[in-house]
Amino acid sequence: MHWKKRLTTLAVLSGLAIGTMHIMNKIVNYLSNKDDKLYNENSLYYEWRFGRICYHKYGKGSPILLIHDLNVCSSSAEWNKIVSDLAKTNTVYTLDLLGCGCSDKPHFTYTNYLYVQLITNFIKHVISEKTDVITVGRSCSFVLMACANNNSIINRVILINPNDLVDLAKIPTKQTKMLQQLIELPILGTFLYNMLINKKTIEKSLRSHYFYNEELVDEHLVSTCFESSHRDKTSGKYLFASIKSRYTNANTLYALNHIDNSIFIIVGNNNPEFELIADQYQNYMPSIEIIGIDHTKYLPHIEMPEKFVEQVEILFDINNSEELST
């Protein structure tokens, strides 16, 4: 009879644990979305076949598409400090990638080629002309793949601190697939995701990896990242699981060997690792020009927006283009 009592006790404790996790998940979902910091009255929507894509359009002139980092905490809000300056001379588009920000967060596996398709379709159907692109971190890989896949949609490209080429070439394994399945579990997986992605862990990551000037990591920034990662009942966990399982990786060497676009890399000079990674890209594509911005790390367009815009104007020849058009 002892085994029956133990089984009953185990069942009761398991039920309590699951119930507690479910309540905690509900609390996190409420706290992360109560302020609606990502709301933008100028939001537009592109009805893509895999989900609704939130985007914004500013200014007039030749188009520039700004693509944020592929991270559950990221969104088009990442570009807020430079949009108005670029919009003085260009039509500027920003979008929330599928699984991020205010765009849909479908419950499936996200892949690198999914985002190649998204960028290709967005440029064709929304921008409707060849465009310059500025992108960050993990998103750099699928922009390069989009260039290699279709040379008629993207003109010049600025990569901000692109990911290590060796890491991008890593493929899913049995272990990473098991991790994906665990995170995607309805209650336990959501609870684990909430433990990994919360305001405390977000702030710690921003201070240690993303920013040179830690004073820029304020409550508004942390809360915006927190909201982005937990919108739509924490459905961002599916993108998180896909990233951790390496499904969003791609061997970018193929793209570097098959494109003739003008490629520029901007790095934050206060993290030597970024400079070494930029050198990797230049070794495979010598025509790449590398520019460093002092007193910045992963997000120079947020830490030093004026200097960043200056570099964009030089690299994209914006002022000369404006004079020619007049």
Side-chain angles (χ1 to χ4, degrees):
M1 297 295 292
H2 290 295
W3 67 269
K4 289 185 178 179
K5 291 182 179 180
R6 290 178 179 174
L7 188 61
T8 301
T9 302
L10 179 62
V12 171
L13 292 175
S14 298
L16 287 172
I18 292 173
T20 301
M21 286 188 286
H22 181 65
I23 293 171
M24 292 299 295
N25 291 340
K26 291 286 188 180
I27 292 173
V28 170
N29 180 66
Y30 168 75
L31 292 176
S32 61
N33 290 280
K34 65 183 181 69
D35 295 327
D36 200 17
K37 292 182 180 296
L38 291 176
Y39 172 76
N40 187 326
E41 62 181 7
N42 298 315
S43 294
L44 302 169
Y45 289 90
Y46 167 47
E47 300 293 339
W48 192 40
R49 65 180 181 275
F50 292 113
R52 202 166 181 236
I53 304 300
C54 178
Y55 74 97
H56 309 91
K57 180 181 178 181
Y58 309 90
K60 290 185 178 181
S62 60
I64 298 178
L65 173 60
L66 307 180
I67 304 173
H68 64 79
D69 187 20
L70 184 61
N71 185 308
V72 292
C73 295
S74 297
S75 69
S76 56
E78 184 178 308
W79 305 106
N80 286 350
K81 289 189 176 182
I82 69 168
V83 164
S84 59
D85 285 333
L86 293 179
K88 293 175 182 177
T89 54
N90 295 77
T91 304
V92 181
Y93 295 85
T94 67
L95 81 165
D96 291 341
L97 294 169
L98 193 72
C100 302
C102 295
S103 290
D104 283 350
K105 297 173 169 57
H107 298 184
F108 58 35
T109 297
Y110 295 75
T111 66
N112 189 281
Y113 190 64
L114 175 77
Y115 290 105
V116 173
Q117 290 179 287
L118 170 57
I119 297 308
T120 301
N121 293 157
F122 184 84
I123 293 173
K124 284 184 175 180
H125 301 153
V126 178
I127 300 178
S128 301
E129 61 179 299
K130 200 168 187 177
T131 183
D132 294 324
V133 176
I134 305 175
T135 185
V136 189
R138 190 173 293 276
S139 296
C140 296
S141 63
F142 59 76
V143 169
L144 292 175
M145 296 295 284
C147 290
N149 189 57
N150 186 335
N151 62 10
S152 67
I153 61 169
I154 296 175
N155 188 18
R156 296 163 295 193
V157 179
I158 293 177
L159 309 176
I160 305 171
N161 294 316
N163 279 47
D164 187 291
L165 290 170
V166 176
D167 289 339
L168 286 171
K170 293 178 180 178
I171 63 174
T173 64
K174 289 183 179 179
Q175 289 77 14
T176 63
K177 291 178 181 178
M178 288 177 62
L179 176 62
Q180 179 190 24
Q181 293 173 354
L182 177 61
I183 295 172
E184 291 182 352
L185 290 173
I187 297 176
L188 176 59
T190 302
F191 183 76
L192 290 174
Y193 175 77
N194 290 336
M195 293 292 288
L196 293 169
I197 309 295
N198 55 63
K199 292 185 79 169
K200 187 174 181 179
T201 59
I202 290 170
E203 181 176 356
K204 182 179 179 181
S205 179
L206 289 171
R207 290 182 180 277
S208 62
H209 181 67
Y210 287 82
F211 283 84
Y212 168 73
N213 182 4
E214 295 185 17
E215 293 182 2
L216 294 174
V217 182
D218 56 17
E219 173 62 23
H220 178 79
L221 174 62
V222 174
S223 296
T224 301
C225 294
F226 185 47
E227 179 183 328
S228 178
S229 63
H230 288 81
R231 287 181 74 93
D232 296 340
K233 300 179 180 179
T234 318
S235 295
K237 72 174 187 176
Y238 294 94
L239 172 58
F240 180 80
S242 297
I243 293 172
K244 292 300 181 182
S245 302
R246 302 176 180 172
Y247 283 103
T248 56
N249 284 0
N251 190 342
T252 315
L253 291 180
Y254 170 83
L256 291 174
N257 291 325
H258 288 81
I259 61 177
D260 57 6
N261 303 70
S262 294
I263 307 294
F264 310 97
I265 296 179
I266 293 180
V267 299
N269 277 346
N270 286 86
N271 190 329
E273 177 187 354
F274 299 150
E275 297 179 37
L276 293 174
I277 292 173
D279 289 339
Q280 285 182 351
Y281 285 75
Q282 194 177 57
N283 288 338
Y284 286 97
M285 191 175 179
S287 61
I288 289 177
E289 184 177 346
I290 302 172
I291 301 93
I293 297 182
D294 292 333
H295 307 301
T296 69
K297 281 189 176 180
Y298 194 71
L299 303 170
H301 51 296
I302 296 179
E303 291 206 79
M304 291 288 180
E306 296 85 3
K307 290 185 179 180
F308 183 85
V309 170
E310 286 177 10
Q311 290 299 329
V312 172
E313 290 175 345
I314 293 170
L315 299 176
F316 283 173
D317 201 23
I318 288 177
N319 291 329
N320 288 340
S321 298
E322 183 185 16
E323 290 173 4
L324 288 173
S325 64
T326 56

